[in-house]
Amino acid sequence: MSQALTLARRIVVKVGSSLVTDEGRGVDARAIGHWCRQMAALAREGRELVMVSSGAIAEGMKRLGWVTRPKEVHELQAAAAVGQMGLAQIYESKLREQGMGSAQVLLTHADLADRERYLNARSTLLTLLGLGVLPVINENDTVVNDEIKFGDNDTLGALVANLIDADALVILTDQKGLYTADPRKDLAATLVHEARAGDPELERMAGGAGSSLGRGGMLTKILAAKRAAGSGASTVIAWGREPDVLIRLAHGESIGTALIAATPKQAARKQWMADHLQLRGAVVVDAGAAKKVCEEGKSLLPIGVVDVHGEFHRGDVIAVRGPEGAEIARGLANYSSAEARLISRRPSTDFERLLGYSAEPEMIHRDNLVLV
């Protein structure tokens, strides 16, 4: 556990509704201030932090004077719209006190299911991190029915971890971690300090839904850890009010439950791309580009592309073929086949004139490319 977070450079922190809103009493500025202080301290150590925060609906309920969570979708959406204002305001204020910039990012599961929107969201978040800005992410509950009815921010936290290639996911909750049984009902229940993410036994241990404010219980956290492990990110489930919990975890202290990913991060991502059986298309590269990709570990630039085969969209996995036609690599295309044909053999300075806009300089970034 200590090594998993000690070495983590990019961390997604997810915090639940009951913590953010102090069990529905309204946005807990003091608690958010503590988390923001800790994240700023870790940022000064050279780490990159992303916050996935619940609480918009709960804060909206408080501002509207509602005691119980409504069942009608339009009322949930209205509460989310009202509450999001307060949530964003307090994060911006508390991060600014720590000398950090912040950004509000509203996502839906659909944004991460569509490959083009996936890449757009990824590019935005990585740009924000590169600028030293801390993204605060929430589901866009104001407009999307399914996310309110079926979604939970534990799952969103795992999806964001996948999206930005995070090293670790920290889920802050109102429980100390995962117990072998419900400690409120079984006095013999003990805390699980460490286990393998995805172990079926963990799902048996997990209880049902949590508070009336949020959508997720311990089971959603176990399933989120399993999802995060798919891209090589380990997960820690810990009590959000533990003093300096984020700093202590990052410095190797054993707190809560650590669910360790069996596959290293880069290996998981590369394996996912390598396992694609049906590729949408391919680009053929010259000898110079092939050498840079295969021997120097460089990204593939459009100037090295000599031909484009098939029809594909931005975000599709495509093959990279050498001068002799053999596949040498594959990866996620930053441009569609039509765009690739326009910018092949061209320097990036020509892209805006040819495409009407300026985007990534790479055809396939090295982080999204695997040799075969």
Side-chain angles (χ1 to χ4, degrees):
M1 173 176 179
S2 58
Q3 187 181 39
L5 272 105
T6 300
L7 301 178
R9 178 175 174 270
R10 184 174 292 163
I11 303 169
V12 174
V13 179
K14 183 268 173 182
V15 61
S17 298
S18 62
L19 288 173
V20 172
T21 63
D22 193 16
E23 294 292 346
R25 297 180 182 89
V27 171
D28 191 336
R30 186 167 176 269
I32 290 176
H34 286 316
W35 300 319
C36 289
R37 174 183 54 78
Q38 294 173 61
M39 290 189 292
L42 294 177
R44 288 191 288 271
E45 295 179 1
R47 302 177 196 256
E48 296 176 334
L49 282 298
V50 172
M51 170 66 89
V52 175
S53 178
S54 300
I57 292 177
E59 170 64 7
M61 287 168 52
K62 186 257 184 181
R63 290 185 172 212
L64 292 167
W66 296 350
V67 177
T68 58
R69 183 183 175 103
K71 299 189 185 308
E72 294 294 331
V73 170
H74 64 273
E75 291 180 334
L76 288 166
Q77 291 173 329
V82 172
Q84 196 64 52
M85 296 294 289
L87 201 61
Q89 182 182 41
I90 196 67
Y91 274 108
E92 193 277 335
S93 173
K94 294 301 181 182
L95 285 167
R96 182 160 31 88
E97 287 178 7
Q98 300 298 326
M100 287 198 72
S102 61
Q104 182 189 54
V105 180
L106 299 178
L107 293 174
T108 69
H109 290 309
D111 291 323
L112 306 185
D114 178 89
R115 293 305 302 170
E116 185 167 355
R117 288 158 69 182
Y118 173 98
L119 278 186
N120 290 342
R122 173 183 167 86
S123 295
T124 298
L125 289 172
L126 294 183
T127 299
L128 289 169
L129 292 176
L131 293 170
V133 173
L134 194 151
V136 179
I137 299 174
N138 196 359
E139 281 189 319
N140 195 353
D141 287 339
T142 302
V143 297
V144 180
N145 294 359
D146 288 348
E147 272 59 47
I148 291 177
K149 190 173 182 181
F150 302 111
D152 63 83
N153 275 0
D154 295 321
T155 300
L156 182 60
L159 291 171
V160 170
N162 296 158
L163 176 68
I164 64 169
D165 298 331
D167 302 298
L169 168 64
V170 178
I171 298 178
L172 298 181
T173 182
D174 53 7
Q175 303 293 320
K176 294 286 187 179
L178 172 67
Y179 284 81
T180 54
D182 188 340
R184 295 167 296 186
K185 301 176 181 177
D186 187 347
L187 295 179
T190 57
L191 181 68
V192 177
H193 292 285
E194 185 171 317
R196 180 180 60 82
D199 184 343
E201 180 66 13
L202 300 177
E203 296 178 30
R204 185 195 64 77
M205 294 178 190
S211 71
S212 62
L213 295 168
R215 296 291 297 170
M218 190 57 68
L219 180 59
T220 69
K221 294 164 179 53
I222 299 305
L223 296 176
K226 180 180 179 180
R227 188 184 293 268
S231 60
S234 295
T235 298
V236 173
I237 303 168
W239 186 40
R241 300 197 186 281
E242 184 78 35
D244 286 334
V245 60
L246 298 176
I247 294 173
R248 289 161 61 195
L249 281 170
H251 292 171
E253 192 168 337
S254 179
I255 303 172
T257 299
L259 302 176
I260 306 301
T263 308
K265 183 179 74 170
Q266 287 302 320
R269 183 169 177 79
K270 302 289 188 183
Q271 190 61 48
W272 174 80
M273 287 185 284
D275 284 345
H276 267 66
L277 298 178
Q278 293 184 332
L279 303 181
R280 296 284 187 175
V283 291
V284 181
V285 302
D286 61 27
K291 180 179 179 181
K292 287 187 177 296
V293 167
C294 295
E295 298 179 20
E296 301 178 25
K298 301 291 187 181
S299 299
L300 173 62
L301 303 181
I303 198 168
V305 175
V306 298
D307 201 3
V308 179
H309 296 164
E311 301 298 326
F312 53 86
H313 300 287
R314 170 176 162 84
D316 284 340
V317 178
I318 63 172
V320 179
R321 302 190 182 280
E324 305 301 320
E327 184 180 353
I328 59 173
R330 57 181 54 180
L332 298 181
N334 277 338
Y335 294 95
S336 69
S337 52
E339 293 169 325
R341 291 185 176 99
L342 289 174
I343 61 176
S344 62
R345 309 303 289 166
R346 301 281 190 167
S348 59
T349 51
D350 289 351
F351 292 1
E352 187 168 6
R353 176 176 60 83
L354 293 167
L355 301 176
Y357 67 94
S358 180
E360 290 93 345
E362 309 90 4
M363 182 65 207
I364 303 175
H365 192 278
R366 64 184 180 183
D367 290 347
N368 297 327
L369 187 146
V370 57
L371 302 180
V372 298

